[in-house]
Amino acid sequence: ILAAKNKADFVAGANMLLGGKALKNTDFPINDKLKRRVWHRVIDVAELHNEPGVFTTFAGYEYSSPGLHRTVLFSGGPEDTKTIIPFSSHDSENPEDLWSFLTDYIESTGSGAISIPHNSNLSRGKMFSLKNFHGQPLDGVAAGIRSIIEPIVEVTQIKGDSETHPIISPNDEFASFENAWWDFNQTFRTSDVLGTSMVDVANQSFVRGGLKIGLALHRKLNVNPYKLGMIGSTDSHTGLATADEDNFWGSMATDQPNSFRASRSSINSASGHTAVWAEANTREGIFEAMKRREVYATTGPRIVVRFFGGWNFDDQDHLNPDIADLGYRKGVPMGGELFRQKHKNSPSFLIAAMKEPAGANLDRIQIVKGWDDEDGTTNEQVYDVVWSGNRERDSDGKVPMIESTVDVLSAEYFNTVGSPALQVTWVDPDFDPLEASFYYVRVIAIPSPRWNTYDAARYGSESVSKDEVRHWGEWQDAPKVIQERAYSSPIWYSPKAAD
């Protein structure tokens, strides 16, 4: 085995030692004593650096079932977390077994735990499937457990953006964002979804598609397993959580800034961050905010986003200097739910966004709506609700793209366009009280240089001139300019009457 030059030789040698048996993960078990020792060390490090009110840490780990990666976080301290050994995919590759393990932990300790799906864009249609791990239709029990254990989902990170894709959102001009990891040709060659349409696979891999599937499942099962808030992450393997385009240290140690990394790693995205609206910077405060989905994601910049839904917002409420106070008093925040009201024509939404102090101005704020028709068909619509400058909608109702101020040679941009802040009160013009729906905010910044453009300016354009990414199965030049963004957690509307 030690002399093996490739995977085939290694497997052959291992099989010889195993008497010809097929090689499995369980053939190389790790002693429970070692597992516990490593896990306790993780907990000890988290405890060492946890400073309530200043810097909050959680004990956690990654569960990596094939195509179904998840981050597991615990809200409690060592008195709870040291009572277990983390449940891994070596124990079972079926996520339902992970949820059962976490449910038992919660019941036995009285402490909290959540599982956060990530990299759904690479799940090959598995993350938001209509079937369970064994290929059977989802049932209400498992869907209900998932809705409790997995309240949020990662929508953007180094391995690409998981919000949506042009194949499922063809009318969304901002849909093709950092999608280079998503190669349909490769997906259909290497996955077990042959015979499934690419649209279905994409819907089951991207968060917007998952949110729509959740509406359809709720109609069938009376529970929505994909009622998900949105967060951003890095998924960095370097220990460096750098997500700024001009300070991006890559995914692996080999991707640290250098003159040649862009020719190999332009597929990576400098992303992302999680923002949490918590009552306190403590484990309890942050964990409860995640549970109620009062969180949002950014692709790197520290954009501030407020989003409230209700039935009584006035046209001028967005001009109030304390939007948050007004939003909580008259509505529900991101992650919340609205129920059918008598004598109310349409819900209204209070939205505000502000750029990072030293970052790019904002281009526009959009509302993304998904809904479930009475015949069971799910739909989506993107609304431009407020934008910077004096642009007017075109004949198709679209707001024209904003001017780019990026100088790609110097990797500079200028805030001579856009706005530092945008806010609006918006009423859904197409509301149907009989249709279950969701609404989330997407904030789009003005164009700015991508990280590979900063590399070219630092090291010379010739050294990174061959940077390419795969797009729709073909290699193309990597983008030089991007428009950073933020995604709020949705607010759901239910046709069910309020109690």
Side-chain angles (χ1 to χ4, degrees), residues 221-240:
L221 304 175
N222 202 33
V223 64
N224 183 352
Y226 305 140
K227 191 176 181 182
L228 298 163
M230 298 194 202
I231 66 164
S233 307
T234 58
D235 201 15
S236 168
H237 293 200
T238 64
L240 301 173

Side-chain angles (χ1 to χ4, degrees), residues 47-114:
E47 290 302 309
L48 177 65
H49 295 284
N50 190 47
E51 190 175 352
V54 179
F55 187 79
T56 298
T57 65
F58 292 89
Y61 69 97
E62 182 174 12
Y63 171 87
S64 298
S65 176
L68 294 168
H69 293 199
R70 286 162 161 85
T71 299
V72 179
L73 288 183
F74 298 90
S75 65
E79 66 280 4
D80 298 320
T81 52
K82 285 188 176 182
T83 64
I84 60 166
I85 297 175
F87 187 91
S88 78
S89 59
H90 292 282
D91 298 303
S92 172
E93 293 183 349
N94 184 352
E96 289 186 25
D97 293 333
L98 169 67
W99 306 333
S100 295
F101 171 83
L102 295 178
T103 299
D104 290 343
Y105 168 84
I106 293 168
E107 292 176 350
S108 64
T109 64
S111 187
I114 59 174

Side-chain angles (χ1 to χ4, degrees), residues 85-293:
I85 297 175
F87 187 91
S88 78
S89 59
H90 292 282
D91 298 303
S92 172
E93 293 183 349
N94 184 352
E96 289 186 25
D97 293 333
L98 169 67
W99 306 333
S100 295
F101 171 83
L102 295 178
T103 299
D104 290 343
Y105 168 84
I106 293 168
E107 292 176 350
S108 64
T109 64
S111 187
I114 59 174
S115 168
I116 308 171
H118 73 110
N119 270 152
S120 65
N121 59 320
L122 301 182
S123 71
R124 299 186 177 96
K126 296 179 181 180
M127 190 62 78
F128 309 116
S129 177
L130 295 165
K131 299 179 180 180
N132 64 19
F133 184 78
H134 298 295
Q136 301 300 315
L138 291 181
D139 63 70
V141 174
I145 294 173
R146 180 169 183 170
S147 70
I148 295 170
I149 298 297
E150 298 191 343
I152 57 179
V153 65
E154 175 200 85
V155 71
T156 187
Q157 65 135 268
I158 279 178
K159 294 187 182 74
D161 198 80
S162 295
E163 186 219 0
T164 192
H165 191 280
I167 197 169
I168 58 175
S169 303
N171 297 320
D172 182 355
E173 64 266 46
F174 290 98
S176 186
F177 179 74
E178 297 294 304
N179 284 153
W181 282 90
W182 186 257
D183 177 0
F184 282 107
N185 293 338
Q186 182 66 17
T187 294
F188 274 74
R189 283 197 299 269
T190 62
S191 73
D192 56 2
V193 295
L194 290 172
T196 304
S197 77
M198 290 195 293
V199 173
D200 287 343
V201 174
N203 268 311
Q204 294 171 196
S205 300
F206 286 83
V207 174
R208 190 185 299 180
L211 292 171
K212 291 190 294 182
I213 291 171
L215 295 179
L217 287 172
H218 187 272
R219 173 190 288 269
K220 179 180 179 181
L221 304 175
N222 202 33
V223 64
N224 183 352
Y226 305 140
K227 191 176 181 182
L228 298 163
M230 298 194 202
I231 66 164
S233 307
T234 58
D235 201 15
S236 168
H237 293 200
T238 64
L240 301 173
T242 54
D244 294 330
E245 301 293 333
D246 62 351
N247 184 34
F248 178 52
W249 283 69
S251 175
M252 304 289 184
T254 53
D255 295 323
Q256 65 184 340
N258 58 64
S259 61
F260 55 83
R261 67 167 176 168
S263 63
R264 180 188 66 252
S265 305
S266 282
I267 197 171
N268 291 330
S269 304
S271 193
H273 282 133
T274 297
V276 181
W277 287 115
E279 294 181 359
N281 185 2
T282 62
R283 282 181 183 162
E284 295 78 10
I286 293 173
F287 192 83
E288 285 305 310
M290 290 190 289
K291 287 286 289 182
R292 66 177 182 265
R293 306 176 182 88

Side-chain angles (χ1 to χ4, degrees), residues 364-417:
R364 68 187 73 195
I365 294 177
Q366 299 177 312
I367 286 278
V368 178
K369 177 186 177 182
W371 70 96
D372 183 24
D373 283 341
E374 289 189 23
D375 64 0
T377 303
T378 56
N379 308 271
E380 66 175 67
Q381 177 69 43
V382 180
Y383 299 88
D384 290 309
V385 296
V386 65
W387 53 92
S388 61
N390 298 317
R391 292 169 289 170
E392 296 183 358
R393 298 182 189 273
D394 60 24
S395 57
D396 295 326
K398 300 283 190 179
V399 175
M401 292 293 183
I402 198 166
E403 174 190 355
S404 175
T405 65
V406 176
D407 182 333
V408 295
L409 294 180
S410 62
E412 293 180 301
Y413 71 95
F414 304 93
N415 278 327
T416 53
V417 298

